[in-house]
Amino acid sequence: MLPLTRSPVAPISRFLCKSINNNSVRVSKSTSGEMAAERSRSIEQSRASLRLCNVSSFTTELLELRSENPLLHVVVIPGNPGVALFYKEFVEAMYERLGGRASVTGRKRVLCYILVFSGRAHFRNEEGIGLYFLQNWEKGRLFSLQDQIDHKVSFINQEFGDTEVPLYLVSHSIGSYISLEVFRRFPEKVKYCIGLYPFLSLNKKSSKQIIIGKIAGSGILSKLLSLVLAMFGILPMWASSFLVRTSMGKSWSTSAIEAVCNYLLQYHVMRNVFHMAMTEFQKLAEAPDWMFMRGKQEKIAFLFGSDDHWGPLSMFEEISKEVSDVSLSIENEGHTHGFCCTKAGSEWVAGHVVSLIEHQILPQ
């Protein structure tokens, strides 16, 4: 039987669910008023905001939470589709635990700067809908997995090139593969690399991957499906929101519903999703770079799901065999690969990530 965890913070899965995610923080009566005042003052600072920036001549959307004089930077690299808004609750939960609305007893308060950025061409089209839904900020260009890697490298150079503040990479799905490539480019700057529900290699036993691979590899099928989804994007927001919530499930957060309606129901965004998926399947047919992971194994951690075809437990076992000192955990709390689409999933995974980061920065 597979262990729940194999890391210095074991047994992290059970502990976090009960303590961190339920905010089980003990404070004395004399400080409770101060804590309440602190929470009130910082509540606005704990809300992620969107902004646009230019990275290597490409418009990029960022979702960020800033603090003054941060002790660390956390960069979240999303999966495919690389829509930052999906991770709003997740980054806010991380910020609250790291930046803190209240200090945790026996722990040092850690100020941080957290951001997650959309992939190239994976952001909302402000040029309108209707006859214009085929237009796109990048003039119809499609971006590959390698393009997305280069985009993240350019961003790190641009945003953090001159800073000495430690950089922590937190990534999801194919973002875990991208983050390892970013780590390869910045071995001294990156302090720690955390992959959530990682997609690192093709799962030949997954029928879902086979179907997605066939659609992504077919120009006709990917264009047709993108066009059908874009038609739903023409509907009024209340109608598209109702359809998305009905089909995706009532447990999805408002931010996740908004992300689907405002971003994914667009022709060119979906064309990029399928094109990137096609290049992912081509590249991930190769074995992971075990040699690189072995060289950085004390700075890498992965969280797997108990039932995830993108990051199956067979990959958990393979990593455990090939890279013995990588921190590995399995989430058995009922969250899915799309954890960031629900508030409960976002908060639980945020607690897990914060525990890993605190283990790296706080005295033991």
Side-chain angles (χ1 to χ4, degrees):
M1 181 177 294
L2 292 171
L4 283 178
T5 62
R6 198 209 57 202
S7 75
V9 292
I12 194 170
S13 297
R14 298 296 179 187
F15 172 76
L16 284 174
C17 184
K18 293 182 179 179
S19 61
I20 292 181
N21 285 320
N22 289 331
N23 294 317
S24 302
V25 181
R26 295 184 178 179
V27 297
S28 65
K29 292 183 179 180
S30 62
T31 62
S32 59
E34 296 176 4
M35 299 284 278
E38 183 179 354
R39 291 187 181 189
S40 178
R41 287 193 300 270
S42 63
I43 188 169
E44 290 301 322
Q45 299 175 351
S46 300
R47 294 291 177 264
S49 60
L50 290 167
R51 72 174 173 90
L52 298 178
C53 74
N54 190 37
V55 180
S56 299
S57 76
F58 293 100
T59 303
T60 300
E61 187 174 65
L62 303 178
L63 180 71
E64 63 181 354
L65 279 156
R66 289 180 176 269
S67 62
E68 296 181 4
N69 302 317
L71 298 179
L72 58 92
H73 297 311
V74 179
V75 176
V76 179
I77 300 179
N80 184 10
V83 177
L85 189 58
F86 275 115
Y87 300 85
K88 184 175 185 294
E89 283 81 9
F90 173 60
V91 298
E92 288 177 348
M94 276 200 298
Y95 186 86
E96 288 176 10
R97 288 164 171 78
L98 284 171
R101 292 188 181 181
S103 297
V104 179
T105 301
R107 293 187 182 181
K108 178 180 177 183
R109 183 178 177 186
V110 181
L111 294 177
C112 64
Y113 167 41
I114 301 177
L115 64 85
V116 52
F117 50 102
S118 293
R120 288 173 169 179
H122 286 181
F123 48 82
R124 135 178 63 194
N125 177 10
E126 300 291 355
E127 296 179 343
I129 57 176
L131 295 177
Y132 300 97
F133 69 86
L134 297 181
Q135 296 183 22
N136 167 267
W137 290 26
E138 304 302 344
K139 309 303 180 184
R141 179 173 173 178
L142 299 176
F143 298 95
S144 66
L145 174 60
Q146 186 59 52
D147 289 330
Q148 299 290 356
I149 293 171
D150 294 340
H151 177 250
K152 276 61 178 175
V153 169
S154 296
F155 177 83
I156 298 297
N157 265 326
Q158 176 179 306
E159 193 81 2
F160 305 110
D162 298 328
T163 183
E164 295 182 358
V165 177
L167 181 64
Y168 289 75
L169 300 180
V170 177
S171 52
H172 176 217
S173 192
I174 188 61
S176 300
Y177 178 89
I178 296 174
S179 69
L180 289 173
E181 292 301 307
V182 172
F183 194 5
R184 190 194 305 274
R185 307 282 186 93
F186 302 101
E188 302 302 324
K189 187 176 294 294
V190 174
K191 175 71 173 179
Y192 206 61
C193 183
I194 302 172
L196 307 172
Y197 305 86
F199 180 31
L200 302 174
S201 182
L202 290 185
N203 179 5
K204 297 180 180 179
K205 296 181 179 180
S206 170
S207 58
K208 292 181 180 179
Q209 284 195 25
I210 293 173
I211 294 172
I212 294 172
K214 289 182 177 179
I215 295 174
S218 169
I220 295 176
L221 290 177
S222 60
K223 288 178 182 178
L224 180 60
L225 187 53
S226 298
L227 186 59
V228 170
L229 292 172
M231 292 298 183
F232 286 104
I234 302 176
L235 296 174
M237 179 60 71
W238 66 266
S240 58
S241 297
F242 174 78
L243 290 174
V244 171
R245 188 172 294 279
T246 301
S247 59
M248 299 297 183
K250 295 182 179 180
S251 63
W252 274 36
S253 67
T254 301
S255 296
I257 299 296
E258 182 182 344
V260 174
C261 294
N262 287 343
Y263 295 76
L264 297 190
L265 299 184
Q266 295 185 59
Y267 175 81
H268 192 74
V269 171
M270 288 309 303
R271 287 283 289 122
N272 257 289
V273 168
F274 287 127
H275 181 74
M276 182 177 171
M278 179 186 70
T279 59
E280 290 172 27
F281 279 47
Q282 292 171 350
K283 184 63 178 176
L284 270 60
E286 305 171 4
D289 189 344
W290 300 122
M291 184 175 295
F292 173 75
M293 287 194 218
R294 291 188 195 106
K296 300 293 182 181
Q297 55 189 326
E298 295 181 354
K299 293 185 176 183
I300 298 174
F302 293 114
L303 172 67
F304 284 82
S306 57
D307 184 19
D308 180 12
H309 73 90
W310 294 109
L313 295 184
S314 59
M315 176 54 64
F316 175 98
E317 294 176 322
E318 193 169 358
I319 294 175
S320 182
K321 184 194 316 179
E322 296 286 346
V323 194
S324 58
D325 287 334
V326 163
S327 175
L328 295 175
S329 301
I330 299 175
E331 175 267 304
N332 279 320
E333 303 299 326
H335 306 301
T336 66
H337 185 84
F339 73 92
C340 55
C341 295
T342 67
K343 183 175 178 59
S346 295
E347 290 183 348
W348 191 93
V349 176
H352 177 83
V353 170
V354 168
S355 179
L356 290 170
I357 292 176
E358 287 184 335
H359 184 268
Q360 293 294 313
I361 62 178
L362 299 181
Q364 302 303 309

